[in-house]
Amino acid sequence: DADVTQTPRNRITKTGKRIMLECSQTKGHDRMYWYRQDPGLGLRLIYYSFDVKDINKGEISDGYSVSRQAQAKFSLSLESAIPNQTALYFCATSEPGGNTIYFGEGSWLTVV
Amino acid sequence: SQKIEQNSEALNIQEGKTATLTCNYTNYSPAYLQWYRQDPGRGPVFLLLIRENEKEKRKERLKVTFDTTLKQSLFHITASQPADSATYLCALPPRNSGNTPLVFGKGTRLSVIA
C-alpha cells in the first residue's frame, strides 16, 4: 500500500461545482503539502501544514481551501471549480526537520 | 525568494552515455539541494540530497555536484539506460532561514535512446 494515498485519482467536474481531494498518509509525518503541477509550470505549492493546528498558504492558494482533519489527513477543496484549475494535484508529506518530501500518486482533475 | 532554472526542458542521449542535467539558482546559496525523479503521471521520488559543504555525492550510477560559487548543481547519470528516461527535478529551500517548503524547478525530461 502507498504511504501517501490520494482520492480520487481521477475526477471530471463541471465549472462552479465544489470538489474535494483527500489525502491520507501512513508515514507518521507531521508535515503535509498540496502541490499542483501544470505542463511548463512545474510543481507549485498551494497550501501546507506543519501540524494539525497549522495551515499556511503557498504560492497559489487563491480559489483553494484546505482542512487538516488529523495528523494523517489533509484535504484540498475547490469551492467553485473553474477550468484553469484543471491540473495534476499532488499531496506530499515530510518529517519535522526532515528534508525529503514524499509524494502521493497524484489526482488528475479536469474542470469542464 | 529563490528562482530555479533547469537547463533544458528535454534532453535526448544515447544509451550507455552519461547524461548531465543542470540546475541553476539565483540569490543566496541554500543549505542543501535535492534531486527527484518523476515518471509520467506519477509523483516525484527523492533521489539525492547534497549539502552546501559537500562538493559531490554519489549513489550507484548517479552523481550530484554542488558549486556554490557558480550557484549550480549538476546531476549525472552514467552508463544511462532506457529505464532512466524520466523527468528530473531539482528542489531547494526558498529562503535561507525559517521553516519553508521546498521550491521545485520545472524539470528536465530525459530520454535515453536504445
Side-chain angles (χ1 to χ4, degrees):
Chain A
D1 286 340
D3 293 325
V4 183
T5 303
Q6 294 182 227
T7 55
R9 295 293 313 280
N10 290 283
R11 176 63 60 88
I12 299 173
T13 192
K14 293 185 177 180
T15 298
K17 292 290 188 183
R18 184 178 188 272
I19 179 97
M20 179 183 288
L21 305 180
E22 298 184 338
C23 176
S24 63
Q25 52 114 347
T26 57
K27 298 189 76 67
H29 290 167
D30 286 331
R31 298 182 175 188
M32 298 189 73
Y33 312 86
W34 276 103
Y35 285 90
R36 165 180 173 159
Q37 189 171 43
D38 299 272
L41 295 178
L43 279 166
R44 293 181 292 167
L45 183 65
I46 307 172
Y47 271 96
Y48 63 101
S49 169
F50 282 173
D51 64 43
V52 175
K53 296 179 181 178
D54 176 72
I55 300 288
N56 303 281
K57 291 183 177 180
E59 179 186 352
I60 53 163
S61 58
D62 286 349
Y64 302 94
S65 62
V66 291
S67 174
R68 185 79 185 267
Q69 300 94 327
Q71 186 208 36
K73 295 184 183 296
F74 192 36
S75 60
L76 176 72
S77 293
L78 288 67
E79 297 301 325
S80 179
I82 56 177
N84 77 0
Q85 291 178 312
T86 293
L88 179 57
Y89 290 85
F90 287 105
C91 176
T93 73
S94 68
E95 297 175 305
N99 302 319
T100 302
I101 296 185
Y102 300 87
F103 286 85
E105 289 296 298
S107 295
W108 287 96
L109 177 66
T110 302
V111 184
V112 298
Chain B
S1 62
Q2 199 66 272
K3 269 194 175 178
I4 304 171
E5 291 178 1
Q6 293 193 240
N7 59 325
S8 57
E9 282 193 23
L11 179 66
N12 298 325
I13 64 163
Q14 208 69 31
E15 183 177 7
K17 301 290 185 185
T18 296
T20 298
L21 284 63
T22 304
C23 177
N24 294 295
Y25 56 90
T26 60
N27 303 332
Y28 70 91
S29 274
Y32 61 88
L33 186 147
Q34 300 185 2
W35 284 90
Y36 288 76
R37 169 183 172 140
Q38 185 176 20
D39 291 289
R42 309 290 297 273
V45 175
F46 170 77
L47 294 175
L48 281 166
L49 179 152
I50 186 164
R51 299 190 185 280
E52 60 181 339
N53 60 348
E54 298 175 312
K55 294 292 184 192
E56 183 180 296
K57 201 83 169 274
R58 290 176 185 261
K59 178 182 176 183
E60 298 172 353
R61 294 183 295 110
L62 307 181
K63 183 178 86 171
V64 172
T65 63
F66 194 4
D67 189 326
T68 55
T69 302
L70 293 178
K71 296 189 176 182
Q72 181 181 82
S73 174
L74 298 179
F75 177 83
H76 306 273
I77 305 176
T78 58
S80 59
Q81 305 166 359
D84 295 326
S85 298
T87 296
Y88 293 87
L89 309 171
C90 71
L92 43 85
R95 287 186 285 279
N96 214 12
S97 62
N99 244 342
T100 47
L102 295 180
V103 174
F104 286 81
K106 295 178 182 179
T108 296
R109 188 174 66 252
L110 175 67
S111 296
V112 181
I113 303 159

